[in-house]
Amino acid sequence: MLPIPQRVLGEALIRSAHSYPSKTAIIYRDMEYPYAQLRECAENLAAHLIISGIKKGDRVAVYMENSWPSIVSIYAIMLSGGVFIVINPQTKADKLKYILTDSETKILISSAAQKNDLASALQEICEVREVIITGPIGQVKKYSHFALIDFETVIATRHSLSYFPTIIPTDLAALIYTSGSTGFPKGVMMTHQSMVFTSWSLIEYLRLAPEDRIILLLPLAFDYGLYQLIMSVTIGGTLIVEQSFVFTASIYKNINKYQPTVFPGVPTIYAMMIASHKENGLSFAGIEKITSTAASLPEEFIPDLKKLFPNALIFKMYGLTECKRVCYLEPELI
């Protein structure tokens, strides 16, 4: 009997949790979360969203750092039938307000760490009717026009909801907003069908397998970062979540500790790592694949990258928010 191909994004989590329930799905701040826990927490939050009135196609935004809560939130929104929007945590109040208004976001999932920008952005927004907060909820300013809900309580609460909405491949899955560097951000509309196709295309040419462990240094609001999560869950791999590349010593320590096999980066990250290699001989023999996009990877980086990652295939790629990778170079041709 032929297996049924994946149709919508949320199916990947259901399948991986069924096939690898006890396998580590996410590593975050020295905590390891198995697939069964990711599915349970995502389903609990999805049920809460539905009970709170989210219907298929409604927008739900995630505004926080790369974290376990942000990953649970993304998959919960998928399962609820909502359209997820991941907003860069560096986004200031004016652009945050614009994105929430432009997208007609109904529920916002955020963290207490964002309290200052939340207070400014939410003051006059009427579309948002509920804000779910991870961390000290008492630090977040409350307004009368929305409910304030504790994230940890929600993901630990089981509901008697017997079904989730039926989603079809052409339903909208996500709005991915551009950075807004030349004006206000613009939302790119992505269907389940297009994102499933893209994720499997990337998995195929990057030669990914369930044994792979991908380290995430890029923001989930950036499509390059988001697809590391989607690909990892789709293959049943492990995602090692870092919040940024700012604290390089800590990241190098975690690479040695958790032994990722896949390292997605951008030229600026590789430039810093090459400098460290030249200064102190930095090298990561356990990494099997490195990828680069967002900007052209300079040819002069290649010899040093081969020393920095002596056993890795090097994938040069180029992409656009609207269609992800439009081209790549086979690593044997580098």
Side-chain angles (χ1 to χ4, degrees):
M1 183 176 177
L2 291 174
I4 299 173
Q6 181 188 350
R7 302 172 308 111
V8 297
L9 285 174
E11 287 178 3
L13 174 57
I14 305 301
R15 293 182 182 192
S16 291
H18 179 266
S19 300
Y20 314 104
S22 59
K23 183 179 180 180
T24 298
I26 307 296
I27 299 174
Y28 174 64
R29 289 187 174 175
D30 294 324
M31 292 288 291
E32 299 192 17
Y33 300 92
Y35 271 99
Q37 185 177 0
L38 177 56
R39 176 178 178 175
E40 179 182 345
C41 291
E43 287 184 342
N44 289 347
L45 178 52
H48 172 85
L49 295 175
I50 293 168
I51 291 168
S52 294
I54 288 298
K55 294 179 174 56
K56 190 167 75 168
D58 284 347
R59 278 58 161 164
V60 182
V62 180
Y63 176 55
M64 65 177 92
E65 295 278 1
N66 288 3
S67 62
W68 165 250
S70 62
I71 289 168
V72 170
S73 299
I74 290 168
Y75 275 93
I77 299 164
M78 290 181 196
L79 295 175
S80 74
V83 176
F84 71 87
I85 305 163
V86 185
I87 303 173
N88 194 314
Q90 304 302 317
T91 301
K92 297 305 179 187
D94 58 338
K95 286 189 177 179
L96 173 61
K97 180 180 177 181
Y98 174 83
I99 291 172
L100 295 176
T101 303
D102 180 66
S103 63
E104 298 182 349
T105 291
K106 298 291 192 299
I107 293 180
L108 173 62
I109 306 173
S110 188
S111 71
Q114 310 295 131
K115 60 183 182 294
N116 293 333
D117 289 309
L118 285 173
S120 299
L122 293 172
Q123 188 171 1
E124 298 174 357
I125 294 179
C126 297
E127 291 87 352
V128 176
R129 58 178 180 242
E130 182 175 296
V131 179
I132 303 173
I133 293 292
T134 179
I137 194 169
Q139 295 181 5
V140 179
K141 188 171 182 179
K142 175 73 175 69
Y143 293 104
S144 60
H145 58 277
F146 62 79
L148 203 56
I149 307 293
D150 179 66
F151 178 89
E152 282 72 20
T153 300
V154 169
I155 64 169
T157 304
R158 290 182 178 272
H159 297 277
S160 57
L161 196 68
S162 58
Y163 68 94
F164 289 109
T166 299
I167 305 166
I168 62 174
T170 52
D171 283 335
L172 196 62
L175 287 175
I176 301 177
Y177 273 83
T178 59
S179 63
S181 56
T182 58
F184 280 106
K186 298 173 180 63
V188 177
M189 303 171 72
M190 304 298 297
T191 64
H192 284 269
Q193 183 172 261
S194 65
M195 296 186 80
V196 168
F197 174 85
T198 298
S199 59
W200 277 107
S201 174
L202 291 166
I203 288 165
E204 181 178 348
Y205 79 67
L206 294 177
R207 312 170 197 182
L208 300 180
E211 298 75 29
D212 276 317
R213 298 161 70 86
I214 303 173
I215 188 163
L216 177 65
L217 305 168
L218 307 155
L220 288 164
F222 178 25
D223 66 278
Y224 187 26
L226 176 64
Y227 273 89
Q228 307 310 316
L229 167 63
I230 293 172
M231 290 188 299
S232 184
V233 170
T234 300
I235 61 173
T238 297
L239 189 72
I240 303 159
V241 179
E242 299 286 345
Q243 291 190 333
S244 72
F245 198 70
V246 174
F247 302 104
T248 53
S250 173
I251 288 169
Y252 297 157
K253 177 183 175 183
N254 283 341
I255 291 174
N256 289 322
K257 181 176 181 179
Y258 295 116
Q259 293 296 303
T261 58
V262 183
F263 188 102
V266 295
T268 51
I269 288 177
Y270 291 128
M272 287 187 281
M273 297 182 77
I274 288 169
S276 296
H277 165 74
K278 290 180 176 179
E279 184 177 336
N280 54 35
L282 183 73
S283 179
F284 299 109
I287 291 176
E288 300 170 3
K289 306 174 190 78
I290 70 168
T291 65
S292 181
T293 188
S296 178
L297 185 67
E299 288 186 18
E300 59 269 23
F301 281 19
I302 304 302
D304 290 316
L305 287 175
K306 288 184 175 181
K307 295 174 185 175
L308 184 60
F309 304 101
N311 299 314
L313 298 172
I314 302 172
F315 288 85
K316 292 179 69 172
M317 306 183 295
Y318 177 73
L320 303 166
T321 302
E322 294 83 353
C323 53
K324 308 301 165 282
R325 309 304 158 255
V326 294
C327 57
Y328 74 98
L329 181 68
E330 290 283 4
E332 288 81 6
L333 303 176
I334 196 74

